Amino acid sequence: MLTQAPKGTKDIFGAEIAQWQIVENKMRNLCRNFGIDEIRTPVFEHTELFLRSVGDTTDIVQKEMYTFFDKGDRSITLRPESTAGAARAYIEHGMFNNAQPTKLYYIAPTFRYENTQAGRQRQFHQFGVEMYGSYSPALDAEAISVAYELIKDMGINSVELRINSLGCPECRGRYNKMLRDFIGDNLDNLCHECKSRYEKNPLRVLDCKEEKCKKIIAGAPSVIDCLDEECTEHFETLKEILAGMGISFTVDPMIVRGLDYYTRTVFEFVTNTIGAQGTVCGGGRYDNLVEECGGPKTGAVGFGLGIERLLMTLEAQNGKSEYKPFRHLYIGSIGKKGFIKSQAITFELRKMGIIAECDTVGRSVKAQMKYANKIGAMYSLILGDDEVDLGKASVKNMETGETTEINISEIGAKMKELLNL
Ligand code: ATP
Ligand code: MG
């Protein structure tokens, strides 16, 4: 137990961390181009915030939250998603007073007590974007375009975008009634959870993963047919903007999303290449959440993208990435003088942006050169008494074996020349 990470968690290192850094850099650069600022909210929030925002008929609140009482007897929950925390911060810091829209992004560890399987962990990571301060479908399209571009920029081609509209609360009320009528006598045959969903939020029955519920709900009326004029117009304009941007999508009236706060637009990016947990990204508009949490009435839209699932999709397409260590230069040494000097030069070079390494474990010269190969050094040199006294050394290209004489006092400039830095 001591040497095993808790179930549903993962150490990320080696070849994997290189992928994470690449994708995180892409996210940050993309958000810069979209004018989206980073926000870092706490890992835990007051439990009440999630009860209020995520909704008490959802899987998250009913089954998945890591909730505990702290030593001050406060009920605390590790964030199971970050939209609520971001909305709380938006209100707490009066961001609604700024010129709108406010656009925020996060890259955040997220916690859900789930049955673990491929693509389903207890600690996972989300890249999310939240945009506040507009009811225009242009903001929906902008949010969608961030996730779309990230996936495209990573060269992933197996992911498709599905969109739907749940309408405003009035449309949803009408639809819920239609759905109750449709389920009708089949109510007794729904799963235990769907029976309670039927009363409180029948729309969520569409999201149930139980086969018997799926069967009952097949052929249910489409929520899109229940939209009023304004909600229809909103959805139609979104589709027009997306088409204009060259973003392909399909309309899928079965998408309802697992969280209660959505209004009008909902969307998912899905793939069939990583097994049953194929939703890489989910999001939508949530026009009532900010007000519900104590702020002014504020139109808003956002998404959460699972970074593990995104990387699984990439791997399914391109295969596992290899871990290739890499250094510019290995500075080996013989004897005390060379050893001390090698440490000093390595430090100097590192400060100049050259990836340098030297002996810190007391290896023999032969073992040092073997190690230089192992860590992927492009060049190496060896410092002994003579080299230190004469101030000259011979730099060897590890691939070609070619050597170049250099003055040790000019090693930085010389290495930059050799490396084309
Ligand atoms: P699912 O239907 O797969 O449970 P969800 O509707 O609960 O997903 P969201 O709350 O919308 O998911 O979260 C957004 C994204 O976060 C998901 O599309 C997925 O990529 C990722 N995600 C959600 N739960 C997990 C998990 N337990 N492990 C890994 N990634 C997850
Ligand atoms: Mg879930």
Side-chain angles (χ1 to χ4, degrees):
M1 187 149 137
L2 268 185
T3 53
Q4 220 166 34
K7 189 170 171 194
T9 68
K10 262 186 88 178
D11 300 309
I12 307 163
F13 64 100
E16 260 189 81
I17 203 74
Q19 290 296 322
W20 279 74
Q21 287 171 349
I22 291 169
V23 64
E24 284 178 14
N25 282 337
K26 279 191 195 296
M27 289 162 182
R28 294 183 192 286
N29 285 331
L30 200 62
C31 285
R32 205 196 89 225
N33 294 351
F34 277 79
I36 308 169
D37 291 324
E38 183 175 6
I39 184 163
R40 301 188 190 189
T41 61
V43 163
F44 57 84
E45 298 273 357
H46 293 122
T47 302
E48 182 61 30
L49 177 68
F50 300 115
L51 299 184
R52 182 69 75 87
S53 59
V54 176
D56 53 12
T57 60
T58 61
D59 282 354
I60 293 181
V61 166
Q62 287 191 344
K63 300 186 274 195
E64 300 171 358
M65 294 208 300
Y66 276 94
T67 298
F68 58 95
F69 285 91
D70 70 6
K71 292 197 168 76
D73 236 12
R74 298 170 197 91
S75 182
I76 293 291
T77 296
L78 302 186
R79 60 171 168 235
E81 56 95 61
S82 296
T83 302
R88 195 260 315 132
Y90 177 79
I91 300 164
E92 183 170 344
H93 306 293
M95 291 185 219
F96 45 81
N97 291 318
N98 304 338
Q100 300 298 308
T102 298
K103 302 192 275 186
L104 304 173
Y105 82 91
Y106 51 80
I107 297 173
T110 308
F111 307 85
R112 293 184 193 175
Y113 192 78
E114 300 218 56
N115 289 325
T116 57
Q117 47 189 300
R120 196 172 287 290
Q121 297 173 202
R122 291 185 176 172
Q123 176 174 341
F124 61 101
H125 298 76
Q126 280 188 347
F127 163 58
V129 165
E130 314 290 347
M131 299 180 171
Y132 310 85
S134 166
Y135 294 92
S136 166
L139 206 66
D140 308 49
E142 189 169 319
I144 289 171
S145 69
V146 180
Y148 175 88
E149 189 51 30
L150 174 73
I151 292 165
K152 190 152 162 272
D153 188 43
M154 288 179 66
I156 294 174
N157 49 34
S158 67
V159 172
E160 81 172 76
L161 168 63
R162 297 192 188 152
I163 63 172
N164 188 22
S165 176
L166 306 177
C168 58
E170 288 75 43
C171 295
R172 201 195 285 207
R174 266 199 313 279
Y175 182 63
N176 276 339
K177 184 174 177 316
M178 263 174 97
L179 213 49
R180 279 196 200 99
D181 291 345
F182 177 81
I183 294 168
D185 295 343
N186 269 322
L187 171 60
D188 290 342
N189 302 325
L190 289 174
C191 75
H192 178 67
E193 278 165 57
C194 280
K195 279 183 191 136
S196 76
R197 288 173 181 148
Y198 176 89
E199 291 303 329
K200 289 190 201 157
N201 194 359
L203 187 84
R204 297 229 47 250
V205 177
L206 295 185
D207 201 32
C208 184
K209 282 153 190 145
E210 296 271 339
E211 278 310 316
K212 58 178 177 184
C213 298
K214 278 188 184 169
K215 261 196 203 133
I216 292 171
I217 214 71
S222 162
V223 58
I224 294 170
D225 297 334
C226 283
L227 300 184
D228 62 21
E229 206 176 313
E230 263 180 79
C231 291
T232 304
E233 167 74 16
H234 193 273
F235 194 46
E236 290 305 315
T237 308
L238 169 65
K239 291 195 276 184
E240 245 178 87
I241 299 174
L242 289 176
M245 288 171 152
I247 294 178
S248 45
F249 59 86
T250 52
V251 174
D252 181 351
M254 293 302 277
I255 290 183
V256 298
R257 308 293 310 129
L259 300 103
D260 273 357
Y261 48 60
Y262 289 118
T263 50
R264 291 190 167 166
T265 313
V266 285
F267 59 90
E268 289 184 351
F269 286 85
V270 293
T271 178
N272 56 14
T273 62
I274 57 170
Q277 319 309 325
T279 306
V280 173
C281 172
R285 176 166 276 282
Y286 51 93
D287 291 340
N288 300 317
L289 180 69
V290 172
E291 194 179 21
E292 189 75 12
C293 292
K297 194 162 168 37
T298 305
V301 55
F303 67 78
L305 178 147
I307 303 180
E308 282 84 358
R309 288 192 199 171
L310 184 73
L311 291 175
M312 282 168 72
T313 310
L314 186 70
E315 190 179 306
Q317 185 181 304
N318 298 347
K320 250 194 166 37
S321 62
E322 251 179 84
Y323 179 52
K324 279 202 211 105
F326 163 78
R327 306 286 192 281
H328 287 135
L329 176 67
Y330 184 83
I331 305 178
S333 55
I334 311 173
K336 182 86 188 265
K337 250 195 207 172
F339 175 73
I340 302 288
K341 187 74 179 170
S342 69
Q343 315 293 319
I345 299 175
T346 302
F347 183 45
E348 276 314 304
L349 294 179
R350 285 172 174 169
K351 286 187 279 186
M352 294 174 69
I354 293 168
I355 310 170
E357 203 76 62
C358 58
D359 180 43
T360 51
V361 296
R363 289 187 167 93
S364 70
V365 180
K366 204 172 143 202
Q368 287 182 45
M369 286 307 116
K370 235 169 126 178
Y371 179 70
N373 261 318
K374 255 193 198 152
I375 60 174
M378 292 171 72
Y379 290 90
S380 70
L381 64 81
I382 296 174
L383 296 180
D385 289 355
D386 282 356
E387 283 78 7
V388 177
D389 291 344
L390 295 171
K392 286 186 190 307
S394 158
V395 177
K396 181 172 150 193
N397 181 318
M398 297 286 278
E399 203 177 299
T400 63
E402 199 181 326
T403 58
T404 315
E405 289 298 311
I406 60 152
N407 288 324
I408 294 175
S409 59
E410 294 164 358
I411 186 168
K414 200 74 203 164
M415 281 314 300
K416 283 201 159 173
E417 209 180 295
L418 284 173
L419 291 160
N420 276 325
L421 290 180

